[in-house]
């Protein structure tokens, strides 16, 4: 099984951007742990981050053909604005788990709506970077294909 971890705009600033909300872990820390945990769970992981909607969509399209079996995505601010990202995820017909480091429902009203949640198998919010591990474990347990 192969899991694709996608991180959207501004997540490259983890560790320095609003640490009182997002914590001190960097994106490199998150990706390293995600990849190591994937191996420990008997799978592989690929990680991709972009501040550009089109680059994320291109990577989602590539996942359809590269052996990816599930996508874990933290869409960042695109969660609340991007129908195109939602359509790309729906269009590749791969299971999706949506993740947010902060509890978006305790934040500004505009963060309460997600275009992604309606097509996601699960949504994790507010667990900090531990949410990435929860999303990975869920994806492996639910979507692992036996040979």
């Amino acid at each position: 099984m192969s899991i694709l971890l996608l991180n959207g705009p501004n997540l490259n600033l983890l560790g320095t951007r609003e640490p009182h909300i997002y914590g001190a872990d960097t994106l490199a820390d998150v990706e390293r742990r995600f990849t190591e945990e994937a191996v420990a769970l008997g799978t592989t992981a690929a990680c991709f981050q972009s501040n550009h909607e089109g680059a994320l969509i291109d990577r989602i399209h590539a996942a359809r053909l590269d052996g990816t079996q599930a996508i874990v995505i933290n869409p960042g601010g695109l969660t609340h604005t991007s129908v195109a990202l939602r359509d790309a995820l729906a269009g590749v017909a791969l299971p999706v788990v949506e993740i947010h480091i902060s509890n978006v429902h305790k934040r500004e009203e505009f963060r309460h709506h997600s275009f992604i949640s309606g097509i996601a198998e699960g949504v994790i919010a507010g667990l900090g970077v531990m949410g990435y591990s929860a999303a990975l474990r869920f994806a492996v347990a639910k979507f692992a294909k036996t040979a």
Side-chain angles (χ1 to χ4, degrees):
M1 177 169 199
S2 182
I3 307 285
L4 174 61
L5 172 62
L6 294 175
N7 280 287
N10 300 313
L11 289 159
N12 58 304
L13 299 177
L14 284 178
T16 59
R17 175 186 174 217
E18 301 175 284
H20 63 286
I21 295 174
Y22 299 107
D25 289 302
T26 67
L27 181 60
D29 295 333
V30 169
E31 291 178 341
R32 184 187 72 257
R33 280 194 301 269
F34 192 90
T35 302
E36 289 171 355
E37 188 170 357
V39 170
L41 293 170
T43 190
T44 61
C47 302
F48 182 79
Q49 186 277 329
S50 182
N51 294 319
H52 305 282
E53 182 179 42
L56 291 164
I57 291 169
D58 288 344
R59 183 61 186 94
I60 291 165
H61 290 177
R64 195 183 87 200
L65 303 173
D66 70 4
T68 296
Q69 292 171 296
I71 297 173
V72 172
I73 184 169
N74 182 339
L78 294 174
T79 303
H80 324 291
T81 63
S82 182
V83 173
L85 187 63
R86 180 241 182 255
D87 288 350
L89 289 164
V92 297
L94 293 169
V96 173
V97 181
E98 179 183 357
I99 178 172
H100 300 283
I101 295 169
S102 69
N103 180 351
V104 293
H105 302 288
K106 284 181 68 175
R107 298 185 65 196
E108 303 92 341
E109 181 78 24
F110 73 87
R111 295 186 196 276
H112 298 181
H113 173 75
S114 167
F115 281 103
I116 310 303
S117 294
I119 60 162
E121 296 292 328
V123 179
I124 298 168
L127 300 183
V129 296
M130 291 186 304
Y132 286 93
S133 177
L136 175 62
R137 289 177 177 277
F138 172 78
V140 170
K142 182 155 182 165
F143 306 116
K145 295 181 181 173
T146 56

